[in-house]
Amino acid sequence: MKIRTKIALLVGFCTFLMLGSYYLLSLQSATNALIDFHKRSTIILEQSISDPVQLEQALQQHQASTGQSLLQQLTQQFPQHHFLILLDRKLQHSSMKDAELSLDSDETARGFHLKLKGPDNKTSVIYLINDPLPVQIAGQTYGVLTLPKSLLGIGNREDTLRTSLHQSFALWFAVLSLVAVVLAWLGARYLLSPMLTLKAGFSRLEQGDLSVQLDSQRTDEVGHIFQSFNQLASKLQRLQQQYKQMSSDIAHELRTPLTALRSRLEAIQDGLLQADAQQVGQLLDDLQNLTRLVEDLRLLSLTESGQLKVELQQVDLATMLQQLHQTYLPLAQQADLEFELQLQHAVVLADPLRLRQVVTNLLDNAFKYGAAGKKIRLALYSVGTDWQLEVADQGPGIQAQPAELVFERFYRDPFSGKQPGSGLGLAICKQLTELMQGQISVQSEAGKGSRFYLQLPAVSAIS
């Protein structure tokens, strides 16, 4: 079942429940109205009886010898009323010829219950709350009850009113139900229109169109979903471009040392070069560069896929930096560089081997590309609850804008010249830093050098 149908059914069910409740409440209200109407009719019966004085005078002056003849005289004299002649509280004669009558007296209370069954087989019950008027006929005391003719149609009017109300309620219920179904369908269509747009976008992604972007100015939850989709599509497009670029770069980087190896070996084979120790050393250097490139690719692949495991432990970062400073100090003296060291005691949670690899790579780049500035600075200081390591040089800086592009695979800045390298070192540093729950960033200005920042959480902040 489609979501649109489910939403329409849900809305329709809620609407039908609401309308059904309205229908039942309306019927209950109508029933109460009919009961009230019936009560008012009974009161009208009590108040609409003819003037008792006039009726008593007519009964005293009658000349009838039987109850039937008295009934005829009263009917002629009071044509707007029906009359019932009783003997010993039992019905003897009635002026209502077209109705079946049943008169029951209430022994415990004043009055009579009059049941009338008309030609339409509908029964009406009328409560007569007046005592019968006594009259003497042939030495016997009869009782006379009077009933306005206008009251006899009350039962029929009640049925007519009830039927009319039922029909009216049923008609409005059907109309409102139809309107509810139409509105539910339109509402479901409106609510699902963004999902159809999203589905079309995913279809284009499935077909390989990674440039698709959903145009939406909405600021609600649907708009947030569209924004997430656009971000996903943009990221997939960047990954595809990076994949294509990486494939091209890997092919290029592997082709260069392999071509050099092949050319040198062919030259030795053709006798153009002697297979002496110098040539063998050059071949070994080329193989070492090729091996380093393959190892860097393997390490980068492991870090990006999350398969590289790091062993986090407490590391005395200040001691590690002092050791590295002593290692690089002879290189700085040989290149006539000022190698400045500023430290604070810091303990971080990291993988010591991978952390040393990251810092070593940053120092190698500083000595390789920033030696022209004649000063390299290695500093460690606190930033909030974290420790931040800074490697700064005063070389030519980074031409890329933004500077974070240096963390992409195989990126080589034009300022780097023809310095050897695979272009994978900083990409590996970024992945290793993130595996150790740290952050790495760079700030650079052309002609004024570069500053790399490695930020790691302190042990107390982690625990």
Side-chain angles (χ1 to χ4, degrees), residues 36-268:
D36 184 64
F37 175 77
H38 183 71
K39 291 179 179 178
R40 289 198 303 270
S41 300
T42 305
I43 296 174
I44 292 173
L45 172 61
E46 181 183 16
Q47 295 176 350
S48 63
I49 297 176
S50 300
D51 186 2
V53 177
Q54 185 179 3
L55 181 58
E56 289 177 358
Q57 292 178 355
L59 292 177
Q60 292 175 0
Q61 298 174 2
H62 79 88
Q63 299 178 356
S65 58
T66 64
Q68 185 64 35
S69 60
L70 176 62
L71 184 63
Q72 293 176 355
Q73 293 179 12
L74 293 176
T75 303
Q76 293 176 358
Q77 188 174 357
F78 302 97
Q80 300 299 324
H81 292 76
H82 284 296
F83 293 92
L84 306 176
I85 307 298
L86 285 69
L87 181 60
D88 296 332
R89 301 182 69 86
K90 302 296 183 182
L91 181 63
Q92 299 294 321
H93 305 285
S94 170
S95 61
M96 292 179 284
K97 303 300 183 182
D98 56 349
E100 297 181 10
L101 300 180
S102 174
L103 186 66
D104 298 328
S105 62
D106 193 343
E107 300 295 342
T108 61
R110 177 185 175 190
F112 296 85
H113 296 170
L114 178 62
K115 297 181 180 179
L116 299 100
K117 186 176 183 181
D120 55 359
N121 293 325
K122 292 184 178 179
T123 301
S124 300
V125 178
I126 299 177
Y127 298 92
L128 303 173
I129 61 177
N130 288 22
D131 288 332
L133 297 176
V135 61
Q136 294 293 325
I137 302 176
Q140 290 184 322
T141 301
Y142 287 80
V144 177
L145 290 175
T146 177
L147 181 66
K149 290 183 178 181
S150 60
L151 196 62
L152 297 181
I154 290 178
N156 293 333
R157 288 196 297 272
E158 288 182 1
D159 295 337
T160 303
L161 178 60
R162 183 182 292 107
T163 302
S164 176
L165 288 174
H166 285 193
Q167 292 176 351
S168 177
F169 290 150
L171 176 62
W172 280 108
F173 180 77
V175 172
L176 293 177
S177 299
L178 179 61
V179 172
V181 170
V182 174
L183 292 179
W185 180 258
L186 294 178
R189 185 178 182 85
Y190 171 76
L191 292 175
L192 288 178
S193 58
M195 304 303 295
L196 297 178
T197 303
L198 190 62
K199 179 183 177 182
F202 276 112
S203 297
R204 292 179 60 182
L205 283 181
E206 184 180 4
Q207 295 170 4
D209 184 9
L210 301 182
S211 63
V212 58
Q213 291 288 302
L214 301 181
D215 184 15
S216 174
Q217 304 298 327
R218 303 176 62 145
T219 58
D220 55 0
E221 292 81 359
V222 175
H224 296 162
I225 294 176
F226 281 7
Q227 293 176 5
S228 299
F229 175 87
N230 293 337
Q231 294 173 0
L232 173 64
S234 300
K235 186 173 182 179
L236 289 175
Q237 188 178 26
R238 288 195 302 270
L239 289 176
Q240 185 186 48
Q241 294 173 351
Q242 292 174 0
Y243 173 76
K244 293 180 179 179
Q245 184 65 34
M246 183 181 69
S247 300
S248 176
D249 292 338
I250 290 175
H252 174 74
E253 294 294 334
L254 290 176
R255 187 184 300 113
T256 300
L258 288 175
T259 302
L261 278 173
R262 180 178 178 179
S263 299
R264 194 175 298 277
L265 289 173
E266 288 179 349
I268 294 175

